[in-house]
Amino acid sequence: MAERKILLASHSYLAKGLKESAEFFLGKQESMQAICAYLDSSDDYLKEIQYFIDTAKEGEAIILTDIIGGSVNQQVVTMVENSRKRIPIISSMNLPIVLAVALSTGLMDNQLATKLCQDCEPKVVCMNEFNVSDKEGDLDEFFG
C-alpha cells in the first residue's frame, strides 16, 4: 500500500497550524497537505481540494475539516460525493485526531476513520474547575 495521503482543510490558518504541530511531534509529513480557505477573495483552495480528491486512491486517502457543517466541510463533502470515491471525511479536527490519522496503518476506510474518531473523542476540560488534588498522587503523577 502506498503512503497515506492526508488533507487538512480549514477556514484561515488552522489546517497549517495543525500540520506544523503534527510535524513537531512526528517529523516532516510529506503526505500531509494543509489547505487554508478564505485567506483572500480567491477560490483557488477549491482547485487544490479537487486535485487532492482527483489524485486520491480509495483506501489510501482521508480528509479532515475544521467545522462540521461549515462551508469548507460542506464543499469537501459535496466534492467527494460528486467524485463517487469512498474517501473518509472527519470533521471537527484537532491535534489528537491528526496525529492518530498520521500514525494509523492499514486500509483507510470509514471503519478505520470511525474507530480513530472514537479513540480521539474530544474531551475539553476547564482545568480551573478540575480538582487535581482530588486525584490520588501528586501533580507529577497526574500529568505524567
Side-chain angles (χ1 to χ4, degrees), residues 42-81:
S42 157
D43 63 354
D44 287 346
Y45 71 93
L46 293 173
K47 294 174 190 150
E48 293 179 65
I49 294 169
Q50 190 62 59
Y51 181 78
F52 179 91
I53 294 167
D54 290 345
T55 60
K57 293 187 172 107
E58 290 183 21
E60 297 177 3
I62 185 166
I63 301 173
L64 294 90
T65 67
D66 55 357
I67 301 171
I68 188 168
S71 57
V72 174
N73 178 255
Q74 289 178 39
Q75 291 160 334
V76 165
V77 168
T78 300
M79 294 166 90
V80 170
E81 285 178 355

Side-chain angles (χ1 to χ4, degrees), residues 46-142:
L46 293 173
K47 294 174 190 150
E48 293 179 65
I49 294 169
Q50 190 62 59
Y51 181 78
F52 179 91
I53 294 167
D54 290 345
T55 60
K57 293 187 172 107
E58 290 183 21
E60 297 177 3
I62 185 166
I63 301 173
L64 294 90
T65 67
D66 55 357
I67 301 171
I68 188 168
S71 57
V72 174
N73 178 255
Q74 289 178 39
Q75 291 160 334
V76 165
V77 168
T78 300
M79 294 166 90
V80 170
E81 285 178 355
N82 289 341
S83 77
R84 301 198 185 274
K85 289 185 177 181
R86 289 175 288 182
I87 300 171
I89 303 166
I90 294 175
S91 192
S92 302
M93 68 178 166
N94 58 25
L95 186 56
I97 191 66
V98 171
L99 293 172
V101 166
L103 293 170
S104 66
T105 58
L107 183 70
M108 180 48 74
D109 57 10
N110 286 338
Q111 183 178 354
L112 178 56
T114 298
K115 181 183 181 327
L116 293 171
C117 286
Q118 291 167 345
D119 292 347
C120 294
E121 189 173 310
K123 179 166 183 157
V124 179
V125 176
C126 178
M127 292 302 291
N128 302 66
E129 302 298 321
F130 192 80
N131 193 346
V132 177
S133 62
D134 285 348
K135 308 295 175 211
E136 290 185 25
D138 61 13
L139 287 178
D140 289 334
E141 184 178 324
F142 175 77

